Every structure is written in C-alpha cells, then in structure tokens.
C-alpha cells in the first residue's frame, strides 16, 4: 500500500468535523515527509504557513517571489520544512510556558 492509500485510509477514520492538512509535492504526489493528519478538536491554537510566506521572504531580500524561486529556496534545504516544524514545536512550548506558568502556579491542585 503506498503512502497516498495509507493517508486516505487514515483520513477515513477521523471524525467528520476534523480539520486536517496534507503536504502535496509539485508533481501532485503526497510528500515523502507526510505527517499523518490529526484531528484538531483538542487544538487550542493553529497557524498555517504557505508558499507565499517564502515569497514574502524573497521580496524582503530584494528577490523575485516567483514560483521558480520559491521552489529553488525550498529545494535548497531538503529537510527545511521538517526543521521548521521542529522549531515551531520547541518555540511554541517555550511561549506557552511564558504565557501560562503563572496561571498554572496559582492553581490549588
């Protein structure tokens, strides 16, 4: 069973109101770095980053935000998106502590 079939089977198990995201490669094939979607009923915050964000970075650097340039930047760092997701998790955890630690400490139990 290929990755697309596995992903489709997994999607069928989710509740009807679940929100999911899937990375799709340039050729329409599901990315080899597919992280199986997860139900988001328990998610307290969500953010979406997309290709136009990379385009904005290119513009900030004085470069043309063309599809070809966006593809070139993304391809230049093969594990870049994985590294980005890892950093989001790390930084997000630290931010949660900064915001909520005092509230947690104030709880009786």
């Amino acid at each position: 069973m290929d990755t697309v079939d596995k992903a489709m089977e997994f999607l069928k198990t989710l509740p009807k109101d679940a929100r999911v995201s899937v990375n799709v490669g340039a050729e329409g094939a599901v990315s080899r770095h597919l992280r199986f979607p997860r139900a988001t009923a328990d998610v307290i915050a969500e953010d979406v980053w997309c290709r136009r964000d990379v385009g904005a970075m290119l513009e900030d650097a004085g470069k043309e935000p063309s599809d070809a340039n966006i593809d070139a930047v993304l391809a230049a760092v093969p594990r870049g998106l994985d590294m980005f997701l890892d950093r989001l998790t790390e930084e997000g955890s630290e931010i949660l502590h900064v915001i909520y630690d005092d509230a947690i400490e104030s709880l009786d139990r």
Side-chain angles (χ1 to χ4, degrees), residues 24-62:
V24 178
E27 302 298 318
V30 176
S31 168
R32 65 185 174 84
H33 297 296
L34 173 70
R35 295 172 186 250
F36 284 118
R38 58 192 164 126
T40 58
D42 62 343
V43 173
I44 58 172
E46 183 177 331
D47 202 352
V48 176
W49 294 78
C50 52
R51 291 174 55 85
R52 72 175 158 255
D53 296 311
V54 176
M57 290 172 47
L58 287 164
E59 283 182 319
D60 289 347

Side-chain angles (χ1 to χ4, degrees), residues 11-94:
L11 290 171
K12 290 176 188 176
T13 68
L14 297 176
K16 289 184 182 194
D17 63 342
R19 293 177 17 188
V20 299
S21 65
V22 176
N23 295 330
V24 178
E27 302 298 318
V30 176
S31 168
R32 65 185 174 84
H33 297 296
L34 173 70
R35 295 172 186 250
F36 284 118
R38 58 192 164 126
T40 58
D42 62 343
V43 173
I44 58 172
E46 183 177 331
D47 202 352
V48 176
W49 294 78
C50 52
R51 291 174 55 85
R52 72 175 158 255
D53 296 311
V54 176
M57 290 172 47
L58 287 164
E59 283 182 319
D60 289 347
K63 308 290 183 181
E64 178 64 34
S66 66
D67 285 340
N69 281 348
I70 292 170
D71 289 341
V73 168
L74 292 174
V77 183
R79 289 202 62 253
L81 294 177
D82 288 332
M83 292 166 38
F84 177 73
L85 293 172
D86 292 344
R87 287 288 306 274
L88 280 177
T89 300
E90 292 168 13
E91 298 292 328
S93 180
E94 289 180 29

